[in-house]
Amino acid sequence: MKYATNIQEVAALQPDYLGFIFYPKSPRNFEGAIPEIDHTIKKTGVFVDAEIDFIFEKVKKYDFKAVQLHGSESPEYCKNLREKLTNIEIFKVFGIKDAFDFSILASYEWYVNYFLFDTKGKQKGGNGYAFDWSVLKNYTSKVPIILSGGIGIEELSKIEQILKTDLPIYALDLNSKFEITPGVKDAKRVKEFLEKVEQLTANS
């Protein structure tokens, strides 16, 4: 999210999380003030290989309840961040294209709450297309998964199928397929998607 009015429009739909990107190379880079929103929505700071003190500063300033690490942060980095942010949820992002070595996740498991799998592309997120979810059949970790990467209304049948598996799917990350321009979400389309997912999960 980026702009106050749009933040309030989307927050009115009661998503579980709202993300704010702190990465100057991103067209969604956040520099403003976050308006008052429902306290049950977890405001989330998104960072790419940022200094830990920088993340700590933003968490305190914006009262973030979660932090998403979208760079090449090491297990040691995550350990140090966890020690600094004891009560904050940490998402560690990994990009997937056609294959992935899931064994590298083991050294992160003690320090993160969720693994977020995104499409590996030219940009650090927001590439607008999904990776092959069948790769996840090799996932053996118990850490819950957040699915990301080009998720839109067109993926509902795929979402229904993956929710029937034993994978620990925790959440869906929505971004580029709901954007009017970078950082501006079409609240009507988000509402439609959330309603359809709610129906889908109610029937499963």
Side-chain angles (χ1 to χ4, degrees):
M1 305 304 300
K2 189 168 182 177
Y3 302 104
T5 301
N6 191 230
I7 291 167
Q8 291 173 319
E9 286 176 341
V10 174
L13 304 176
Q14 290 294 308
D16 296 302
Y17 297 82
L18 279 182
F20 301 87
I21 295 174
F22 295 89
Y23 183 54
K25 293 180 181 179
S26 171
R28 303 176 184 90
N29 188 51
F30 186 78
E31 297 177 309
I34 300 176
E36 191 72 28
I37 60 174
D38 193 309
H39 72 278
T40 62
I41 300 171
K42 295 179 182 180
K43 293 180 288 186
T44 304
V46 182
F47 303 91
V48 180
D49 298 318
E51 294 288 338
I52 286 178
D53 286 345
F54 177 79
I55 295 177
F56 185 75
E57 171 198 327
K58 298 302 180 188
V59 167
K60 294 299 182 185
K61 178 177 180 179
Y62 295 106
D63 191 28
F64 288 141
K65 302 302 181 189
V67 165
Q68 180 173 315
L69 305 176
H70 221 295
S72 55
E73 296 88 0
S74 67
E76 183 68 17
Y77 177 103
C78 293
K79 177 179 183 289
N80 293 337
L81 184 64
R82 167 56 67 214
E83 290 170 352
K84 187 98 171 173
L85 302 175
T86 53
N87 297 316
I88 303 297
E89 294 179 10
I90 297 177
F91 309 171
K92 180 66 188 92
V93 180
F94 294 93
I96 297 178
K97 192 171 183 182
D98 303 316
F100 187 77
D101 178 7
F102 289 100
S103 68
I104 68 173
L105 303 179
S107 53
Y108 287 89
E109 290 180 346
W110 292 101
Y111 315 120
V112 305
N113 298 90
Y114 308 103
F115 289 129
L116 187 152
F117 295 118
D118 197 2
T119 304
K120 190 173 185 177
K122 293 181 179 179
Q123 303 179 72
K124 292 286 188 182
N127 289 286
Y129 56 93
F131 65 90
D132 182 0
W133 290 356
S134 69
V135 173
L136 295 174
K137 68 181 182 294
N138 297 315
Y139 184 80
T140 57
S141 174
K142 300 301 182 186
V143 175
I145 294 171
I146 298 173
L147 272 182
S148 187
I151 294 176
I153 291 172
E154 304 83 0
E155 279 67 47
L156 282 168
S157 61
K158 287 177 60 182
I159 292 168
E160 182 176 19
Q161 292 306 309
I162 200 164
L163 290 179
K164 290 177 180 177
T165 70
D166 293 330
L167 288 166
I169 306 296
Y170 170 71
L172 302 171
D173 180 29
L174 311 182
N175 191 10
S176 53
K177 282 200 172 179
F178 294 88
E179 284 189 327
I180 300 167
T181 58
V184 179
K185 304 297 182 289
D186 184 333
K188 289 181 180 178
R189 292 188 69 212
V190 174
K191 182 174 186 288
E192 179 186 358
F193 181 88
L194 294 178
E195 288 173 348
K196 288 183 182 296
V197 168
E198 187 175 344
Q199 292 170 6
L200 185 155
T201 52
N203 296 330
S204 62

